[in-house]
Amino acid sequence: MKSSFSGNLSFTIFGESHGSAIGVTIEGLPVGFQPDMEALRAFLSRRAPGNSPLSSSRKEADLPEFVSGLFDGRVCGGPVTALIRNTDARSSDYDTNGDGSQKSQNVPRPGHADYTAELKYRGFQDYRGGGSFSGRMTAPLCIVGGLCLQLLAQRGIAVSSRAVEIGGISGSAEALEQRILQAKAEGDSVGGIIEVCAAGVPGGLGGPLFEGLEGRIAQTVFAIPAVKGIEFGSGFEGSRLRGSENNDPFRMDGGEVITASNRSGGILGGISDGMPLVFRVAVKPTPSIGKTQQSVDIISNANTDLTITGRHDPCIVPRALPCMEAATAIVLLDALLERKKEEPWT
Amino acid sequence: MKSSFSGNLSFTIFGESHGSAIGVTIEGLPVGFQPDMEALRAFLSRRAPGNSPLSSSRKEADLPEFVSGLFDGRVCGGPVTALIRNTDARSSDYDTNGDGSQKSQNVPRPGHADYTAELKYRGFQDYRGGGSFSGRMTAPLCIVGGLCLQLLAQRGIAVSSRAVEIGGISGSAEALEQRILQAKAEGDSVGGIIEVCAAGVPGGLGGPLFEGLEGRIAQTVFAIPAVKGIEFGSGFEGSRLRGSENNDPFRMDGGEVITASNRSGGILGGISDGMPLVFRVAVKPTPSIGKTQQSVDIISNANTDLTITGRHDPCIVPRALPCMEAATAIVLLDALLERKKEEPWT
Amino acid sequence: MKSSFSGNLSFTIFGESHGSAIGVTIEGLPVGFQPDMEALRAFLSRRAPGNSPLSSSRKEADLPEFVSGLFDGRVCGGPVTALIRNTDARSSDYDTNGDGSQKSQNVPRPGHADYTAELKYRGFQDYRGGGSFSGRMTAPLCIVGGLCLQLLAQRGIAVSSRAVEIGGISGSAEALEQRILQAKAEGDSVGGIIEVCAAGVPGGLGGPLFEGLEGRIAQTVFAIPAVKGIEFGSGFEGSRLRGSENNDPFRMDGGEVITASNRSGGILGGISDGMPLVFRVAVKPTPSIGKTQQSVDIISNANTDLTITGRHDPCIVPRALPCMEAATAIVLLDALLERKKEEPWT
Amino acid sequence: MKSSFSGNLSFTIFGESHGSAIGVTIEGLPVGFQPDMEALRAFLSRRAPGNSPLSSSRKEADLPEFVSGLFDGRVCGGPVTALIRNTDARSSDYDTNGDGSQKSQNVPRPGHADYTAELKYRGFQDYRGGGSFSGRMTAPLCIVGGLCLQLLAQRGIAVSSRAVEIGGISGSAEALEQRILQAKAEGDSVGGIIEVCAAGVPGGLGGPLFEGLEGRIAQTVFAIPAVKGIEFGSGFEGSRLRGSENNDPFRMDGGEVITASNRSGGILGGISDGMPLVFRVAVKPTPSIGKTQQSVDIISNANTDLTITGRHDPCIVPRALPCMEAATAIVLLDALLERKKEEPWT
């Protein structure tokens, strides 16, 4: 019951990686909003596979068809539903263990949801390509987020992201890329750390307790497969500082209240303070690797080895960047819609 | 609109630190459940202030009065509302800047929600003692969580937590305590890192996307003031490993599927895998410190200095431990209730 | 999980008729709103028992204590919780069947929730005085509604109600009152029909499908015990007309679009059209009557007779009037808050 | 934000009458459920237009395509999305006022949502064919309801409906049909009253306040266009009886508790009592009629006449029958899923 994000903006992501389509149904987009479809496609292409030697060679056009909610190119009031047809699904990659003898659903891939999906769905899950656990499900998330980014831009808010670490090293884009290619060559994978920044966020968004921006961003970001950690502002390092070191002094700056530093990451008490919103996300190394791994056969209840074939990303970080921006934009738009509702009652 | 946790278990936390009462209204507790009030009080006392030289000397009995939802000591079906009266609020501590000349609401405390609450609530917030942003609001959270812990125990699930770092150092309980007292003596504060473990969690709880356990735990944990980061299993360190190093091999163990390591923290694809659930939380140093700090006067729009008096915790970590356990128990109970709904339809 | 109204305004009603308190926790009231407590008390007194020979002689002051959410008399941002202590509960009235031999919970009262509560809560319900099914639970509803009525008045919206039928007759207030007293004298009860009108409702509130005003008003009104029917505008009678008779012609009137008649009850397509909102509610005769009735003993599984003692209303309609106004105001305020969120995005 | 039904079962209906598709995204269907597609199509065909001289001659195959949530023909865990492509939309019918001079969106049709949609969506709505207010939106409702009916049948619950009045008369099916054809011949329309019955409903479903079955059924039924009233059991007539006449006596019958009559319509205190659930719905005469009507031009702000062309139902009642069954089934399934969650905690 929780493929849905429920707030002032609400949406449900549906589909399975190797089913007929994936997509999303969205409620709450401002009526009259005219999406820039060219910009949306450009945004989605950053997430799409097959565009780089760093990613899976699965080629999906990933062009969404909007089947409802738009009239004359503008949001007309009802839910907006967008579909992406699955056109290049090679289910056979998931049917065997290399020698054709084992179906992957019987031998769960380490680090994947194969085994836990089996527990949850009692054998009825669509196991092909990870089903509804596939990283492919972030394409609909990026449709929503891409639309939100356009709306935020109209309010002067810009969300950006970058890889600050890959496989434990930081450095130039070339160094990071090298790290990925090296892992790929070894039939292995690497993870990394992404930093997200939202500039232009007005103060006053969010709230205490479950309304806090950190919690809402965290829940949305953890919906992206492979995310295992998040920290805002000084985060884990800040926990090692004194209060006198970690507190951001308030200062006047041209008639505006600012903070002289931004160790809070732009959020105090769950509410934006007008400074840039900054957080970092830990992305685990892609669990699908070429190396043979230890697993079990859940039919025969016996230990076995597993060699995964198929097309996989040696590092998900580059394609995860737009997903992080999407998740951030979704929460910020949701908070902005809430803010409208909170405007003074007269 | 989000002082509420909404799921299969739902609750709304209400109250202000220096108002007449704080409390919580809970829906969804299993009918017939007989809370052990003695155990609940013992749990709440771990969070209550005034019990140790490490915490604020504010003394609150923090004994909840259950005004609805119980009959003959058992949950009878309607919402359970529990109140804690505020008996030792010294609002005057927040009225002046030491010399009686400045009200704290005009000079926001660095690192606190004073300034952002002003932005959000446009001057109408109850600024006394942090109002609804006070750490005191975790007492109602611990009421809910304390009840959930009792229900989880009936299913063999135990949640525990411990400080693994204080002020950047790890070590014996004495060393950590010493670190806190040292900061207190200097009129400063320290933060730390808490590790939470839930043992006995059955596999199959949670789900993909927004149903994932990581995201739901994160959102609940970030509702606790001072939390700035969270990581599951190998977390940020895991992002520096190879896939072949970070994946947990599946193995058979006495007829059960286990993982030979637990770098996933017991969660794959957002779903529990039957291994202990493990995560770590970064807690920032308490922003209220005795040292004079830089701030601004938001009435006169001028820079100023601020010296905070009043009773404050030099480190919130010890009192945050039961809060973390409470937050974890809440999400796990919510997931267990969902699991009942998901049982096969016949 | 549904003692809650969840919308842009949200609240949870809690308590049992003969427990220690009843009350409500409300989220979403506009920050800065200063409730007129005198007006609220006057509104609540219309619902309170003991004020007239037409109602139960149970005397409840029903003065709410606001324990959270107000600061300096204004809504300060967090949830508003109001309590009413139960001071005049005579549980013994429900303990026996007149001769002291039967507990009412074993012999369900016809037309009451006694039997169905037993089914739902498996014997754990607070059976005293109807527990959470008591008409007394409309007092918290009237607290919320009374606050909403004040907010609506600030926008020029007025909600009124009147009994248009009692026990099958219409006529003067005296005639209706006579009808009630006659039933009372006979140890019996009567029901009636209430008409509710909301004037000044702006056009554009509501929406299609589940957002429709009719459905939202219906769900809220059916939360009031004893309601068994609702019709908007021409309602059931309208179903007997031709389209050419039932359609309301649009006309210009002083530069405004109006309808020449109001058979729609002010709602087209689930959305207010700017005309007065009008609906009627069927209220069943109070099930608690003095006459001996047929029932069963659910312990011995045998037919038995039941004679109800205790204080009961011979007709609930007079006290239900403010409840209807409260329910209507709640939905309209919720729709107005939504409308703010829908304002053009620029 | 309320094209969604949110409960233990949740779904969002999307699409516009003359857009590219309509459909629904559903969460919460039991995993492993294998829909009988043949039975579903048969159910949908009862609602589809063009099948009878009593209905619009618009011909829509209305065959849903399931694009997600099914694997090997069974519900596999993720949201189920079904699409119906719009294949026979003649938008031109809505473009002119017969002489080609007036677009319908400038001259709202009396009794329709044209004018109120304009108010709500500020001119951005898809006005073609009623857009998201079209009766066509009940097709996705019937997809959900059709699936729910199959699940209910597995538990021995059967929902049926019949027209008890058409245009003010009751009588044989032939008499009712005659009444419709007569109105059609006159370029007019008629409404009617539908009675719905659910047999086999177990006791204990529903709850007090907003959890009550009456309110939940009412809200779902009012989502169907043209519904203007609903009454349960004795309903409005019951409000004219004495309590001694309207109360249903409890009796033992073969070891089971039953009621000797069913004036409550099977619901006491919002909870099913094990007797058949019975309610009646008032359906207004179709607002689209051939006769010339009075309206206004909202551009020129002048009175005008309107003659509607296009294909319309002279009476919506026959096609509304499956919609009523669908709405009822949805609420009952939702309540059954809730009941599973409420099972004793051990």
Side-chain angles (χ1 to χ4, degrees):
Chain A
M1 298 282 298
K2 291 271 191 62
S3 297
S4 299
F5 176 98
S6 286
N8 298 291
L9 182 75
S10 298
F11 59 90
T12 302
I13 291 175
F14 56 82
E16 290 79 33
S17 178
H18 291 233
S20 67
I22 59 174
V24 65
T25 297
I26 316 169
E27 289 190 274
L29 289 172
V31 170
F33 166 50
Q34 184 172 25
D36 179 337
M37 290 299 178
E38 214 40 65
L40 180 64
R41 276 189 286 267
F43 180 70
L44 293 175
S45 74
R46 289 175 55 203
R47 195 216 67 88
N51 292 328
S52 141
L54 302 180
S55 77
S56 156
S57 58
R58 175 173 175 170
K59 189 76 191 173
E60 295 276 1
D62 277 359
L63 295 182
E65 177 198 6
F66 285 83
V67 299
S68 76
L70 297 181
F71 178 52
D72 279 352
R74 292 178 181 274
V75 171
C76 61
V80 172
T81 294
L83 287 183
I84 299 176
R85 294 282 171 179
N86 292 324
T87 53
D88 186 33
R90 278 205 251 156
S91 297
S92 62
D93 282 348
Y94 298 89
D95 283 350
T96 67
N97 189 10
D99 62 356
S101 62
Q102 290 175 315
K103 292 184 188 162
S104 72
Q105 73 272 29
N106 294 346
V107 182
R109 293 168 295 168
H112 267 287
D114 297 347
Y115 174 62
T116 53
E118 174 81 18
L119 293 178
K120 180 175 177 68
Y121 300 118
R122 306 169 201 271
F124 292 109
Q125 73 277 9
D126 183 351
Y127 53 79
R128 299 170 303 164
S132 54
F133 294 86
S134 167
R136 183 155 172 67
M137 300 312 292
T138 56
L141 187 82
C142 284
I143 293 175
V144 187
L147 297 175
C148 292
L149 284 165
Q150 295 182 18
L151 285 159
L152 294 179
Q154 295 180 11
R155 296 276 177 103
I157 303 171
V159 180
S160 60
S161 66
R162 64 193 178 95
V164 292
E165 267 191 33
I166 294 286
I169 66 159
S170 52
S172 65
E174 292 71 28
L176 299 182
E177 186 172 329
Q178 212 47 50
R179 187 73 166 177
I180 296 174
L181 293 173
Q182 176 192 353
K184 185 183 184 182
E186 296 170 11
D188 213 331
S189 66
V190 283
I193 296 175
I194 293 172
E195 184 169 277
V196 182
C197 179
V201 177
L205 300 186
L209 292 165
F210 305 103
E211 197 177 0
L213 284 184
E214 288 116 329
R216 289 155 75 180
I217 289 173
Q219 192 181 19
T220 313
V221 161
F222 275 113
I224 302 167
V227 171
K228 295 299 278 188
I230 189 168
E231 59 177 3
F232 292 83
S234 60
F236 280 88
E237 266 314 298
S239 78
R240 298 170 179 125
L241 300 177
R242 296 294 179 100
S244 57
E245 296 165 327
N246 194 57
N247 284 349
D248 300 306
F250 289 111
R251 295 283 85 184
M252 296 305 304
D253 179 63
E256 301 287 312
V257 175
I258 62 158
T259 58
S261 53
N262 189 17
R263 281 181 286 260
S264 74
I267 305 173
L268 286 171
I271 302 174
S272 62
D273 65 4
M275 299 295 288
L277 202 150
V278 181
F279 64 92
R280 271 170 309 284
V281 176
V283 177
K284 74 176 183 182
T286 322
S288 285
I289 56 176
K291 290 187 171 172
T292 296
Q293 300 178 82
Q294 294 182 323
S295 186
V296 294
D297 185 309
I298 60 172
I299 303 298
S300 63
N301 277 334
N303 287 336
T304 185
D305 281 350
L306 175 70
T307 307
I308 301 172
T309 58
R311 303 156 296 178
H312 299 288
D313 293 289
C315 181
I316 204 65
V317 168
R319 291 177 58 201
L321 295 174
C323 302
M324 299 299 159
E325 297 167 22
T328 308
I330 286 164
V331 174
L332 290 177
L333 184 71
D334 185 51
L336 279 168
L337 291 173
E338 188 170 84
R339 193 70 182 141
K340 286 179 67 180
K341 202 169 60 183
E342 292 169 352
E343 276 163 16
W345 179 270
T346 49
Chain B
M1 297 282 299
K2 290 271 192 63
S3 298
S4 298
F5 176 99
S6 285
N8 298 291
L9 183 75
S10 298
F11 59 90
T12 302
I13 291 174
F14 56 81
E16 289 80 32
S17 177
H18 292 232
S20 68
I22 60 175
V24 65
T25 297
I26 316 168
E27 289 190 274
L29 290 172
V31 170
F33 166 50
Q34 184 173 24
D36 179 336
M37 290 301 178
E38 213 42 62
L40 180 63
R41 277 190 285 267
F43 180 70
L44 293 175
S45 74
R46 289 175 54 204
R47 195 215 67 87
N51 292 328
S52 140
L54 303 180
S55 77
S56 157
S57 58
R58 175 172 175 172
K59 189 75 190 172
E60 296 275 1
D62 277 359
L63 296 184
E65 178 199 5
F66 286 83
V67 298
S68 75
L70 297 181
F71 178 53
D72 278 352
R74 292 179 179 273
V75 170
C76 61
V80 172
T81 294
L83 286 183
I84 298 175
R85 294 282 170 178
N86 291 323
T87 53
D88 185 34
R90 277 205 251 154
S91 298
S92 61
D93 283 349
Y94 297 90
D95 283 351
T96 66
N97 190 9
D99 63 355
S101 62
Q102 290 175 317
K103 291 183 189 163
S104 72
Q105 73 270 33
N106 295 347
V107 182
R109 292 168 295 168
H112 267 286
D114 297 347
Y115 174 62
T116 54
E118 174 81 18
L119 293 178
K120 180 174 178 69
Y121 300 118
R122 305 169 202 271
F124 292 110
Q125 73 277 10
D126 183 350
Y127 52 80
R128 298 168 304 162
S132 54
F133 295 85
S134 168
R136 184 155 172 68
M137 300 311 291
T138 56
L141 188 81
C142 284
I143 293 175
V144 187
L147 297 175
C148 292
L149 284 165
Q150 295 182 17
L151 285 158
L152 294 179
Q154 295 179 9
R155 295 275 178 104
I157 303 171
V159 181
S160 59
S161 66
R162 65 195 178 95
V164 292
E165 267 190 34
I166 293 286
I169 65 159
S170 51
S172 64
E174 291 71 29
L176 299 182
E177 187 173 330
Q178 211 47 48
R179 187 73 166 177
I180 297 174
L181 293 173
Q182 176 192 354
K184 185 183 184 182
E186 294 170 12
D188 213 331
S189 66
V190 284
I193 296 176
I194 293 172
E195 185 170 276
V196 182
C197 178
V201 177
L205 301 187
L209 292 164
F210 305 104
E211 197 178 359
L213 284 185
E214 288 117 328
R216 288 155 76 180
I217 289 173
Q219 192 181 19
T220 313
V221 160
F222 276 113
I224 302 168
V227 171
K228 296 299 279 189
I230 189 168
E231 59 178 3
F232 292 82
S234 61
F236 279 88
E237 267 313 299
S239 77
R240 298 170 179 125
L241 300 176
R242 296 294 179 101
S244 58
E245 297 164 327
N246 195 57
N247 284 350
D248 301 306
F250 289 111
R251 296 282 86 183
M252 295 306 304
D253 180 63
E256 301 287 311
V257 176
I258 61 158
T259 57
S261 53
N262 190 17
R263 281 180 286 261
S264 74
I267 305 174
L268 287 172
I271 302 174
S272 61
D273 66 4
M275 298 296 288
L277 203 151
V278 181
F279 64 91
R280 272 169 308 285
V281 176
V283 177
K284 73 176 184 183
T286 322
S288 286
I289 55 175
K291 289 186 173 175
T292 296
Q293 298 177 84
Q294 293 183 323
S295 186
V296 295
D297 185 309
I298 60 172
I299 303 298
S300 63
N301 278 334
N303 287 336
T304 184
D305 283 349
L306 175 70
T307 306
I308 300 172
T309 59
R311 301 156 297 176
H312 300 289
D313 292 289
C315 181
I316 204 67
V317 169
R319 291 178 57 202
L321 295 173
C323 302
M324 297 301 159
E325 297 167 22
T328 308
I330 286 163
V331 174
L332 290 178
L333 184 71
D334 186 51
L336 279 169
L337 291 173
E338 188 170 85
R339 192 72 182 140
K340 285 179 67 180
K341 202 169 61 183
E342 292 170 354
E343 277 163 15
W345 178 270
T346 50
Chain C
M1 298 281 298
K2 289 271 192 59
S3 298
S4 299
F5 176 99
S6 284
N8 298 290
L9 182 76
S10 299
F11 59 90
T12 303
I13 291 174
F14 56 81
E16 290 79 33
S17 177
H18 292 233
S20 68
I22 59 174
V24 64
T25 297
I26 316 167
E27 289 190 273
L29 289 172
V31 170
F33 166 49
Q34 184 173 26
D36 179 335
M37 290 300 178
E38 213 41 62
L40 179 63
R41 276 189 286 266
F43 180 70
L44 293 175
S45 73
R46 289 175 54 204
R47 196 216 66 88
N51 292 328
S52 141
L54 302 180
S55 76
S56 156
S57 58
R58 176 173 174 172
K59 190 76 191 172
E60 295 276 1
D62 277 0
L63 296 183
E65 178 199 6
F66 286 83
V67 298
S68 75
L70 296 181
F71 177 53
D72 279 352
R74 292 178 180 274
V75 170
C76 61
V80 172
T81 294
L83 287 183
I84 299 176
R85 293 282 171 178
N86 292 325
T87 53
D88 185 33
R90 276 204 252 155
S91 297
S92 62
D93 283 349
Y94 298 89
D95 283 352
T96 67
N97 189 9
D99 62 354
S101 62
Q102 291 175 315
K103 291 182 188 165
S104 72
Q105 73 271 31
N106 294 347
V107 182
R109 293 168 295 168
H112 266 287
D114 296 347
Y115 174 62
T116 53
E118 174 80 18
L119 293 178
K120 180 174 177 70
Y121 299 118
R122 305 168 203 271
F124 293 110
Q125 72 276 11
D126 183 350
Y127 53 81
R128 299 169 303 163
S132 54
F133 294 85
S134 168
R136 185 156 171 67
M137 300 312 291
T138 56
L141 187 81
C142 284
I143 293 175
V144 186
L147 297 175
C148 292
L149 284 165
Q150 295 183 16
L151 286 158
L152 294 179
Q154 295 179 11
R155 295 275 179 103
I157 303 171
V159 181
S160 60
S161 66
R162 64 194 178 96
V164 291
E165 266 191 35
I166 294 286
I169 66 160
S170 53
S172 65
E174 291 71 28
L176 299 181
E177 187 172 330
Q178 211 48 47
R179 187 74 166 175
I180 297 174
L181 293 173
Q182 176 192 354
K184 186 183 185 184
E186 296 170 10
D188 213 330
S189 66
V190 283
I193 297 176
I194 293 172
E195 184 170 276
V196 182
C197 178
V201 178
L205 301 187
L209 291 166
F210 305 104
E211 197 178 358
L213 284 185
E214 289 116 328
R216 288 155 76 180
I217 289 174
Q219 192 179 21
T220 313
V221 161
F222 276 113
I224 301 168
V227 171
K228 294 300 278 189
I230 190 168
E231 58 178 3
F232 292 82
S234 59
F236 279 88
E237 267 313 299
S239 77
R240 299 170 178 126
L241 300 177
R242 296 294 180 99
S244 58
E245 297 165 327
N246 194 58
N247 283 349
D248 301 305
F250 289 111
R251 295 283 84 182
M252 295 306 304
D253 179 64
E256 302 287 312
V257 176
I258 62 158
T259 57
S261 52
N262 190 17
R263 281 180 285 261
S264 75
I267 306 174
L268 286 171
I271 302 174
S272 62
D273 66 4
M275 299 297 287
L277 202 151
V278 181
F279 64 91
R280 270 170 308 286
V281 177
V283 177
K284 73 176 182 182
T286 322
S288 286
I289 55 175
K291 290 185 173 175
T292 296
Q293 298 179 83
Q294 294 183 323
S295 186
V296 295
D297 184 309
I298 60 172
I299 303 299
S300 62
N301 277 334
N303 288 335
T304 185
D305 282 349
L306 174 69
T307 307
I308 302 172
T309 58
R311 301 157 297 178
H312 300 289
D313 293 290
C315 181
I316 204 67
V317 168
R319 291 176 57 200
L321 295 173
C323 302
M324 298 300 158
E325 298 167 21
T328 308
I330 286 164
V331 174
L332 290 177
L333 184 71
D334 186 50
L336 279 169
L337 291 173
E338 189 170 85
R339 193 71 182 140
K340 286 178 68 179
K341 201 168 61 183
E342 292 170 353
E343 276 163 16
W345 179 269
T346 49
Chain D
M1 298 280 299
K2 290 270 192 63
S3 297
S4 299
F5 176 98
S6 285
N8 298 291
L9 182 76
S10 298
F11 59 90
T12 302
I13 291 175
F14 55 82
E16 290 79 32
S17 177
H18 292 232
S20 67
I22 59 174
V24 64
T25 297
I26 316 168
E27 289 189 275
L29 290 171
V31 170
F33 167 51
Q34 183 173 25
D36 178 336
M37 290 299 180
E38 213 41 63
L40 180 63
R41 276 190 285 266
F43 180 69
L44 293 175
S45 74
R46 290 175 53 203
R47 196 217 66 87
N51 292 329
S52 142
L54 303 180
S55 77
S56 158
S57 59
R58 176 172 174 172
K59 190 77 191 172
E60 296 275 1
D62 277 359
L63 296 183
E65 178 198 5
F66 286 83
V67 299
S68 74
L70 297 180
F71 178 53
D72 279 351
R74 293 179 180 274
V75 170
C76 61
V80 172
T81 294
L83 286 183
I84 298 175
R85 294 282 172 181
N86 292 323
T87 53
D88 185 33
R90 277 204 251 154
S91 297
S92 62
D93 283 347
Y94 298 89
D95 282 351
T96 67
N97 188 11
D99 62 355
S101 63
Q102 292 175 315
K103 291 184 188 162
S104 73
Q105 72 272 32
N106 295 347
V107 182
R109 293 168 295 168
H112 267 287
D114 297 347
Y115 173 62
T116 53
E118 175 81 18
L119 293 179
K120 180 175 177 69
Y121 300 118
R122 306 169 202 272
F124 293 109
Q125 73 277 10
D126 183 350
Y127 53 80
R128 300 169 303 163
S132 54
F133 294 85
S134 168
R136 185 157 171 67
M137 301 311 292
T138 56
L141 187 81
C142 284
I143 293 175
V144 187
L147 297 174
C148 292
L149 284 165
Q150 295 182 16
L151 285 159
L152 294 179
Q154 295 179 10
R155 296 276 179 104
I157 303 171
V159 181
S160 60
S161 66
R162 64 193 179 98
V164 291
E165 268 191 34
I166 293 287
I169 65 159
S170 52
S172 65
E174 292 71 29
L176 299 182
E177 187 174 328
Q178 212 47 49
R179 186 74 166 177
I180 297 174
L181 294 172
Q182 177 192 353
K184 186 183 184 183
E186 295 170 12
D188 214 330
S189 65
V190 283
I193 296 176
I194 294 171
E195 185 170 277
V196 182
C197 178
V201 178
L205 300 187
L209 291 165
F210 305 104
E211 197 177 359
L213 284 185
E214 289 116 329
R216 288 155 76 180
I217 290 173
Q219 192 179 22
T220 313
V221 160
F222 276 113
I224 301 168
V227 172
K228 294 299 278 189
I230 190 168
E231 59 177 3
F232 292 82
S234 59
F236 279 88
E237 266 313 298
S239 77
R240 296 169 181 126
L241 300 176
R242 295 295 178 100
S244 58
E245 297 165 327
N246 195 58
N247 283 349
D248 300 306
F250 288 111
R251 296 282 85 183
M252 295 306 303
D253 179 64
E256 301 288 311
V257 176
I258 61 158
T259 57
S261 53
N262 190 17
R263 282 181 284 262
S264 74
I267 305 174
L268 287 172
I271 302 174
S272 61
D273 66 4
M275 299 296 288
L277 202 151
V278 181
F279 63 91
R280 271 170 308 285
V281 176
V283 177
K284 74 176 183 183
T286 323
S288 286
I289 56 176
K291 290 187 171 172
T292 296
Q293 299 178 83
Q294 294 183 323
S295 186
V296 295
D297 185 310
I298 60 173
I299 303 299
S300 63
N301 277 334
N303 287 336
T304 185
D305 281 349
L306 175 70
T307 306
I308 301 172
T309 59
R311 303 157 296 179
H312 299 289
D313 293 291
C315 181
I316 204 67
V317 168
R319 291 177 58 202
L321 294 174
C323 302
M324 297 301 157
E325 297 167 22
T328 308
I330 286 163
V331 174
L332 289 177
L333 185 71
D334 186 51
L336 278 169
L337 291 172
E338 188 171 85
R339 193 72 183 139
K340 285 178 69 179
K341 202 169 60 183
E342 292 169 354
E343 277 164 15
W345 178 270
T346 49

